[in-house]
PDB file of all heavy atoms in Angstrom:
ATOM      1  N   TYR R 201     125.237 109.398  84.959  1.00 97.00           N
ATOM      2  CA  TYR R 201     125.302 109.854  86.344  1.00 97.00           C
ATOM      3  C   TYR R 201     124.794 108.769  87.292  1.00 97.00           C
ATOM      4  O   TYR R 201     123.591 108.454  87.312  1.00 97.00           O
ATOM      5  CB  TYR R 201     124.493 111.143  86.509  1.00 97.00           C
ATOM      6  CG  TYR R 201     124.756 112.144  85.410  1.00 97.00           C
ATOM      7  CD1 TYR R 201     123.788 112.424  84.443  1.00 97.00           C
ATOM      8  CD2 TYR R 201     125.985 112.796  85.316  1.00 97.00           C
ATOM      9  CE1 TYR R 201     124.024 113.331  83.431  1.00 97.00           C
ATOM     10  CE2 TYR R 201     126.241 113.699  84.289  1.00 97.00           C
ATOM     11  CZ  TYR R 201     125.253 113.965  83.347  1.00 97.00           C
ATOM     12  OH  TYR R 201     125.498 114.855  82.332  1.00 97.00           O
ATOM     13  N   PHE R 202     125.705 108.208  88.071  1.00 98.00           N
ATOM     14  CA  PHE R 202     125.348 107.132  89.003  1.00 98.00           C
ATOM     15  C   PHE R 202     126.539 106.888  89.925  1.00 98.00           C
ATOM     16  O   PHE R 202     127.641 107.391  89.705  1.00 98.00           O
ATOM     17  CB  PHE R 202     125.004 105.840  88.253  1.00 98.00           C
ATOM     18  CG  PHE R 202     126.187 105.218  87.564  1.00 98.00           C
ATOM     19  CD1 PHE R 202     126.934 104.220  88.193  1.00 98.00           C
ATOM     20  CD2 PHE R 202     126.583 105.638  86.297  1.00 98.00           C
ATOM     21  CE1 PHE R 202     128.046 103.662  87.561  1.00 98.00           C
ATOM     22  CE2 PHE R 202     127.681 105.081  85.669  1.00 98.00           C
ATOM     23  CZ  PHE R 202     128.423 104.095  86.302  1.00 98.00           C
ATOM     24  N   ASP R 203     126.294 106.101  90.951  1.00 97.00           N
ATOM     25  CA  ASP R 203     127.383 105.624  91.800  1.00 97.00           C
ATOM     26  C   ASP R 203     127.037 104.223  92.264  1.00 97.00           C
ATOM     27  O   ASP R 203     125.865 103.827  92.266  1.00 97.00           O
ATOM     28  CB  ASP R 203     127.579 106.558  93.003  1.00 97.00           C
ATOM     29  CG  ASP R 203     128.882 106.269  93.752  1.00 97.00           C
ATOM     30  OD1 ASP R 203     129.770 105.604  93.181  1.00 97.00           O
ATOM     31  OD2 ASP R 203     129.000 106.698  94.912  1.00 97.00           O
ATOM     32  N   LEU R 204     128.061 103.460  92.630  1.00 98.00           N
ATOM     33  CA  LEU R 204     127.881 102.120  93.193  1.00 98.00           C
ATOM     34  C   LEU R 204     128.515 102.099  94.572  1.00 98.00           C
ATOM     35  O   LEU R 204     129.696 102.447  94.719  1.00 98.00           O
ATOM     36  CB  LEU R 204     128.526 101.048  92.311  1.00 98.00           C
ATOM     37  CG  LEU R 204     128.049 100.940  90.864  1.00 98.00           C
ATOM     38  CD1 LEU R 204     128.842  99.860  90.137  1.00 98.00           C
ATOM     39  CD2 LEU R 204     126.561 100.631  90.788  1.00 98.00           C
ATOM     40  N   GLN R 205     127.743 101.692  95.580  1.00 96.00           N
ATOM     41  CA  GLN R 205     128.262 101.648  96.946  1.00 96.00           C
ATOM     42  C   GLN R 205     127.938 100.308  97.582  1.00 96.00           C
ATOM     43  O   GLN R 205     126.787  99.855  97.542  1.00 96.00           O
ATOM     44  CB  GLN R 205     127.650 102.778  97.791  1.00 96.00           C
ATOM     45  CG  GLN R 205     128.070 104.162  97.352  1.00 96.00           C
ATOM     46  CD  GLN R 205     127.732 105.218  98.382  1.00 96.00           C
ATOM     47  OE1 GLN R 205     127.544 104.925  99.556  1.00 96.00           O
ATOM     48  NE2 GLN R 205     127.649 106.468  97.941  1.00 96.00           N
ATOM     49  N   ALA R 206     128.968  99.671  98.140  1.00 96.00           N
ATOM     50  CA  ALA R 206     128.749  98.410  98.849  1.00 96.00           C
ATOM     51  C   ALA R 206     127.830  98.652 100.040  1.00 96.00           C
ATOM     52  O   ALA R 206     127.952  99.659 100.741  1.00 96.00           O
ATOM     53  CB  ALA R 206     130.079  97.833  99.319  1.00 96.00           C
ATOM     54  N   TYR R 207     126.898  97.716 100.267  1.00 96.00           N
ATOM     55  CA  TYR R 207     125.966  97.858 101.384  1.00 96.00           C
ATOM     56  C   TYR R 207     125.482  96.475 101.800  1.00 96.00           C
ATOM     57  O   TYR R 207     124.967  95.717 100.966  1.00 96.00           O
ATOM     58  CB  TYR R 207     124.777  98.738 100.985  1.00 96.00           C
ATOM     59  CG  TYR R 207     123.837  99.028 102.124  1.00 96.00           C
ATOM     60  CD1 TYR R 207     124.211  99.890 103.150  1.00 96.00           C
ATOM     61  CD2 TYR R 207     122.583  98.438 102.179  1.00 96.00           C
ATOM     62  CE1 TYR R 207     123.343 100.161 104.201  1.00 96.00           C
ATOM     63  CE2 TYR R 207     121.714  98.701 103.217  1.00 96.00           C
ATOM     64  CZ  TYR R 207     122.101  99.566 104.237  1.00 96.00           C
ATOM     65  OH  TYR R 207     121.245  99.824 105.278  1.00 96.00           O
ATOM     66  N   GLU R 208     125.669  96.158 103.074  1.00 94.00           N
ATOM     67  CA  GLU R 208     125.243  94.868 103.622  1.00 94.00           C
ATOM     68  C   GLU R 208     125.773  93.735 102.737  1.00 94.00           C
ATOM     69  O   GLU R 208     126.942  93.692 102.419  1.00 94.00           O
ATOM     70  CB  GLU R 208     123.722  94.840 103.786  1.00 94.00           C
ATOM     71  CG  GLU R 208     123.189  95.846 104.791  1.00 94.00           C
ATOM     72  CD  GLU R 208     123.459  95.485 106.231  1.00 94.00           C
ATOM     73  OE1 GLU R 208     123.780  94.312 106.519  1.00 94.00           O
ATOM     74  OE2 GLU R 208     123.349  96.371 107.108  1.00 94.00           O
ATOM     75  N   ALA R 209     124.884  92.817 102.306  1.00 93.00           N
ATOM     76  CA  ALA R 209     125.330  91.670 101.515  1.00 93.00           C
ATOM     77  C   ALA R 209     125.449  91.973 100.024  1.00 93.00           C
ATOM     78  O   ALA R 209     125.838  91.107  99.243  1.00 93.00           O
ATOM     79  CB  ALA R 209     124.376  90.500 101.718  1.00 93.00           C
ATOM     80  N   GLY R 210     125.116  93.187  99.631  1.00 96.00           N
ATOM     81  CA  GLY R 210     125.150  93.531  98.211  1.00 96.00           C
ATOM     82  C   GLY R 210     125.696  94.919  97.978  1.00 96.00           C
ATOM     83  O   GLY R 210     126.693  95.310  98.564  1.00 96.00           O
ATOM     84  N   PHE R 211     125.011  95.664  97.131  1.00 97.00           N
ATOM     85  CA  PHE R 211     125.440  97.026  96.836  1.00 97.00           C
ATOM     86  C   PHE R 211     124.223  97.843  96.426  1.00 97.00           C
ATOM     87  O   PHE R 211     123.150  97.303  96.118  1.00 97.00           O
ATOM     88  CB  PHE R 211     126.505  97.045  95.737  1.00 97.00           C
ATOM     89  CG  PHE R 211     126.014  96.581  94.397  1.00 97.00           C
ATOM     90  CD1 PHE R 211     125.600  97.483  93.432  1.00 97.00           C
ATOM     91  CD2 PHE R 211     125.984  95.217  94.079  1.00 97.00           C
ATOM     92  CE1 PHE R 211     125.146  97.060  92.191  1.00 97.00           C
ATOM     93  CE2 PHE R 211     125.532  94.775  92.839  1.00 97.00           C
ATOM     94  CZ  PHE R 211     125.118  95.699  91.894  1.00 97.00           C
ATOM     95  N   VAL R 212     124.411  99.157  96.430  1.00 97.00           N
ATOM     96  CA  VAL R 212     123.353 100.080  96.018  1.00 97.00           C
ATOM     97  C   VAL R 212     123.829 100.856  94.802  1.00 97.00           C
ATOM     98  O   VAL R 212     124.944 101.384  94.790  1.00 97.00           O
ATOM     99  CB  VAL R 212     122.998 101.058  97.156  1.00 97.00           C
ATOM    100  CG1 VAL R 212     121.973 102.090  96.689  1.00 97.00           C
ATOM    101  CG2 VAL R 212     122.456 100.290  98.363  1.00 97.00           C
ATOM    102  N   ILE R 213     123.005 100.878  93.759  1.00 98.00           N
ATOM    103  CA  ILE R 213     123.265 101.786  92.649  1.00 98.00           C
ATOM    104  C   ILE R 213     122.514 103.066  92.974  1.00 98.00           C
ATOM    105  O   ILE R 213     121.293 103.059  93.167  1.00 98.00           O
ATOM    106  CB  ILE R 213     122.853 101.194  91.284  1.00 98.00           C
ATOM    107  CG1 ILE R 213     123.078 102.235  90.180  1.00 98.00           C
ATOM    108  CG2 ILE R 213     121.431 100.651  91.271  1.00 98.00           C
ATOM    109  CD1 ILE R 213     122.971 101.681  88.766  1.00 98.00           C
ATOM    110  N   VAL R 214     123.267 104.155  93.098  1.00 97.00           N
ATOM    111  CA  VAL R 214     122.716 105.434  93.541  1.00 97.00           C
ATOM    112  C   VAL R 214     122.450 106.307  92.321  1.00 97.00           C
ATOM    113  O   VAL R 214     123.321 106.495  91.472  1.00 97.00           O
ATOM    114  CB  VAL R 214     123.682 106.148  94.507  1.00 97.00           C
ATOM    115  CG1 VAL R 214     123.033 107.410  95.059  1.00 97.00           C
ATOM    116  CG2 VAL R 214     124.085 105.219  95.645  1.00 97.00           C
ATOM    117  N   PHE R 215     121.231 106.847  92.241  1.00 97.00           N
ATOM    118  CA  PHE R 215     120.804 107.649  91.104  1.00 97.00           C
ATOM    119  C   PHE R 215     120.817 109.139  91.457  1.00 97.00           C
ATOM    120  O   PHE R 215     120.837 109.511  92.632  1.00 97.00           O
ATOM    121  CB  PHE R 215     119.380 107.261  90.692  1.00 97.00           C
ATOM    122  CG  PHE R 215     119.188 105.807  90.414  1.00 97.00           C
ATOM    123  CD1 PHE R 215     118.430 105.017  91.272  1.00 97.00           C
ATOM    124  CD2 PHE R 215     119.754 105.213  89.308  1.00 97.00           C
ATOM    125  CE1 PHE R 215     118.231 103.675  91.018  1.00 97.00           C
ATOM    126  CE2 PHE R 215     119.568 103.862  89.039  1.00 97.00           C
ATOM    127  CZ  PHE R 215     118.807 103.095  89.899  1.00 97.00           C
ATOM    128  N   PRO R 216     120.742 110.001  90.453  1.00 97.00           N
ATOM    129  CA  PRO R 216     120.536 111.431  90.726  1.00 97.00           C
ATOM    130  C   PRO R 216     119.142 111.671  91.291  1.00 97.00           C
ATOM    131  O   PRO R 216     118.232 110.845  91.129  1.00 97.00           O
ATOM    132  CB  PRO R 216     120.680 112.078  89.344  1.00 97.00           C
ATOM    133  CG  PRO R 216     121.377 111.068  88.501  1.00 97.00           C
ATOM    134  CD  PRO R 216     120.944 109.734  89.024  1.00 97.00           C
ATOM    135  N   HIS R 217     118.974 112.825  91.919  1.00 94.00           N
ATOM    136  CA  HIS R 217     117.645 113.195  92.409  1.00 94.00           C
ATOM    137  C   HIS R 217     117.385 114.667  92.061  1.00 94.00           C
ATOM    138  O   HIS R 217     117.076 114.961  90.920  1.00 94.00           O
ATOM    139  CB  HIS R 217     117.533 112.938  93.910  1.00 94.00           C
ATOM    140  CG  HIS R 217     116.162 113.188  94.465  1.00 94.00           C
ATOM    141  ND1 HIS R 217     115.026 112.763  93.818  1.00 94.00           N
ATOM    142  CD2 HIS R 217     115.740 113.839  95.598  1.00 94.00           C
ATOM    143  CE1 HIS R 217     113.964 113.119  94.524  1.00 94.00           C
ATOM    144  NE2 HIS R 217     114.360 113.784  95.596  1.00 94.00           N
ATOM    145  N   GLU R 218     117.531 115.571  93.010  1.00 92.00           N
ATOM    146  CA  GLU R 218     117.225 116.976  92.727  1.00 92.00           C
ATOM    147  C   GLU R 218     118.213 117.561  91.719  1.00 92.00           C
ATOM    148  O   GLU R 218     117.818 118.281  90.800  1.00 92.00           O
ATOM    149  CB  GLU R 218     117.218 117.782  94.025  1.00 92.00           C
ATOM    150  CG  GLU R 218     116.053 117.399  94.942  1.00 92.00           C
ATOM    151  CD  GLU R 218     116.036 118.197  96.217  1.00 92.00           C
ATOM    152  OE1 GLU R 218     117.007 118.965  96.461  1.00 92.00           O
ATOM    153  OE2 GLU R 218     115.073 118.059  96.988  1.00 92.00           O
ATOM    154  N   ASP R 219     119.482 117.289  91.892  1.00 96.00           N
ATOM    155  CA  ASP R 219     120.469 117.637  90.873  1.00 96.00           C
ATOM    156  C   ASP R 219     120.569 116.426  89.946  1.00 96.00           C
ATOM    157  O   ASP R 219     121.130 115.394  90.300  1.00 96.00           O
ATOM    158  CB  ASP R 219     121.824 117.940  91.515  1.00 96.00           C
ATOM    159  CG  ASP R 219     122.860 118.396  90.486  1.00 96.00           C
ATOM    160  OD1 ASP R 219     122.669 118.140  89.279  1.00 96.00           O
ATOM    161  OD2 ASP R 219     123.874 118.993  90.898  1.00 96.00           O
ATOM    162  N   THR R 220     119.993 116.553  88.750  1.00 97.00           N
ATOM    163  CA  THR R 220     119.864 115.394  87.866  1.00 97.00           C
ATOM    164  C   THR R 220     121.161 115.009  87.173  1.00 97.00           C
ATOM    165  O   THR R 220     121.198 114.023  86.444  1.00 97.00           O
ATOM    166  CB  THR R 220     118.788 115.651  86.789  1.00 97.00           C
ATOM    167  OG1 THR R 220     119.220 116.729  85.940  1.00 97.00           O
ATOM    168  CG2 THR R 220     117.453 115.996  87.424  1.00 97.00           C
ATOM    169  N   ARG R 221     122.225 115.777  87.416  1.00 96.00           N
ATOM    170  CA  ARG R 221     123.488 115.479  86.749  1.00 96.00           C
ATOM    171  C   ARG R 221     124.587 115.053  87.712  1.00 96.00           C
ATOM    172  O   ARG R 221     125.768 115.166  87.405  1.00 96.00           O
ATOM    173  CB  ARG R 221     123.929 116.671  85.895  1.00 96.00           C
ATOM    174  CG  ARG R 221     122.990 116.888  84.696  1.00 96.00           C
ATOM    175  CD  ARG R 221     123.578 117.831  83.659  1.00 96.00           C
ATOM    176  NE  ARG R 221     122.747 117.849  82.466  1.00 96.00           N
ATOM    177  CZ  ARG R 221     121.796 118.747  82.233  1.00 96.00           C
ATOM    178  NH1 ARG R 221     121.563 119.708  83.121  1.00 96.00           N
ATOM    179  NH2 ARG R 221     121.083 118.699  81.119  1.00 96.00           N
ATOM    180  N   LYS R 222     124.192 114.566  88.863  1.00 96.00           N
ATOM    181  CA  LYS R 222     125.151 113.909  89.748  1.00 96.00           C
ATOM    182  C   LYS R 222     124.389 112.986  90.687  1.00 96.00           C
ATOM    183  O   LYS R 222     123.226 113.250  91.025  1.00 96.00           O
ATOM    184  CB  LYS R 222     125.976 114.930  90.530  1.00 96.00           C
ATOM    185  CG  LYS R 222     125.242 115.654  91.629  1.00 96.00           C
ATOM    186  CD  LYS R 222     126.229 116.513  92.428  1.00 96.00           C
ATOM    187  CE  LYS R 222     125.525 117.163  93.630  1.00 96.00           C
ATOM    188  NZ  LYS R 222     126.453 117.996  94.419  1.00 96.00           N
ATOM    189  N   PRO R 223     125.004 111.863  91.096  1.00 97.00           N
ATOM    190  CA  PRO R 223     124.299 110.945  91.987  1.00 97.00           C
ATOM    191  C   PRO R 223     123.994 111.606  93.325  1.00 97.00           C
ATOM    192  O   PRO R 223     124.793 112.403  93.835  1.00 97.00           O
ATOM    193  CB  PRO R 223     125.266 109.765  92.142  1.00 97.00           C
ATOM    194  CG  PRO R 223     126.606 110.299  91.751  1.00 97.00           C
ATOM    195  CD  PRO R 223     126.354 111.381  90.756  1.00 97.00           C
ATOM    196  N   ALA R 224     122.847 111.286  93.887  1.00 96.00           N
ATOM    197  CA  ALA R 224     122.451 111.844  95.174  1.00 96.00           C
ATOM    198  C   ALA R 224     123.327 111.263  96.284  1.00 96.00           C
ATOM    199  O   ALA R 224     123.972 110.222  96.113  1.00 96.00           O
ATOM    200  CB  ALA R 224     120.987 111.534  95.447  1.00 96.00           C
ATOM    201  N   ALA R 225     123.348 111.935  97.410  1.00 93.00           N
ATOM    202  CA  ALA R 225     124.018 111.377  98.585  1.00 93.00           C
ATOM    203  C   ALA R 225     123.220 110.162  99.056  1.00 93.00           C
ATOM    204  O   ALA R 225     121.997 110.191  99.078  1.00 93.00           O
ATOM    205  CB  ALA R 225     124.099 112.420  99.696  1.00 93.00           C
TER     206      ALA R 225
END
Side-chain angles (χ1 to χ4, degrees):
Y201 315 109
F202 68 94
D203 192 17
L204 302 178
Q205 293 194 21
Y207 185 72
E208 296 287 343
F211 65 96
V212 176
I213 177 168
V214 185
F215 306 110
H217 185 44
E218 292 180 353
D219 184 341
T220 65
R221 292 194 172 95
K222 73 173 185 180

